[in-house]
Amino acid sequence: MRLIVILAGAAMSASAFLNWMSAPFAGGFTPWDALGPVLGPDAPLEVWIFAGTFALGALAALVALLGRGSGLIPLLAGLAPFGAAIWNQFQVNDALGLVGMNLWDFRDGMGDTMGQMMELVDIGFYAYWISAVLLIIAGLSGGGRRRARGRDLY
C-alpha cells in the first residue's frame, strides 16, 4: 500500500500541471493555468480548497515516502476532491437560488453537455480522480506506513 500512496499522491499533485482538457481550437488547459493568476491572499475560498487538494496529495506521498504514514492522511487526500466537488455543487445551487433557479432545472441538457465535455478530457483529469480513489482505498486499508523490520531500532 505504501507504494500506491506514494504514486497516487504524486500523480494527484502532478495533475495540477497536466492537461485536464484539450480542445482542438484552444490547446490544453491545466489547473495551474487557472490557479496561478488568482492564488493569493484575496483568492476565493473555492480556489484555496481546490489548490489544497493537490497539496494534500503531495503531503500523502511525502509522508508515505518517509514511512511515517497513517491511514488518515491518504484517506483525507482521497476524500478532499470529492468533498470539494460536492461543496462546489452546493455553492452553485445556492447561487442559482438567488435568481429563483435550481441546478435540477438544467438536468435535461446536462447529459449531452457532459458527454461532449468528456470528449475533451485529458490525462490530468483522469490522474486526479483515479489517484483520489486509490488514496481512499489505501487510506481505508491502513495507509502508507512502512513495515517494521527486525533490524530497525525504535
Side-chain angles (χ1 to χ4, degrees), residues 36-54:
V38 297
L39 199 58
D42 57 344
L45 182 60
E46 293 86 355
V47 171
W48 283 107
I49 290 172
F50 187 51
T53 62
F54 299 107

Side-chain angles (χ1 to χ4, degrees), residues 33-129:
D33 294 337
L35 291 174
V38 297
L39 199 58
D42 57 344
L45 182 60
E46 293 86 355
V47 171
W48 283 107
I49 290 172
F50 187 51
T53 62
F54 299 107
L56 273 172
L59 179 66
L62 180 65
V63 168
L65 189 64
L66 296 175
R68 303 281 185 227
S70 68
L72 183 62
I73 293 174
L75 182 63
L76 290 177
L79 289 174
F82 292 100
I86 291 168
W87 186 71
N88 281 326
Q89 184 176 356
F90 283 125
Q91 293 293 101
V92 168
N93 204 24
D94 289 345
L96 286 172
L98 295 175
V99 293
M101 298 179 79
N102 190 321
L103 197 55
W104 289 105
D105 295 338
F106 301 98
R107 71 180 173 267
D108 293 333
M110 198 65 88
D112 294 333
T113 304
M114 289 302 290
Q116 292 172 355
M117 290 204 46
M118 289 306 287
E119 293 174 7
L120 303 175
V121 169
D122 210 350
I123 187 75
F125 179 86
Y126 294 116
Y128 184 75
W129 291 104

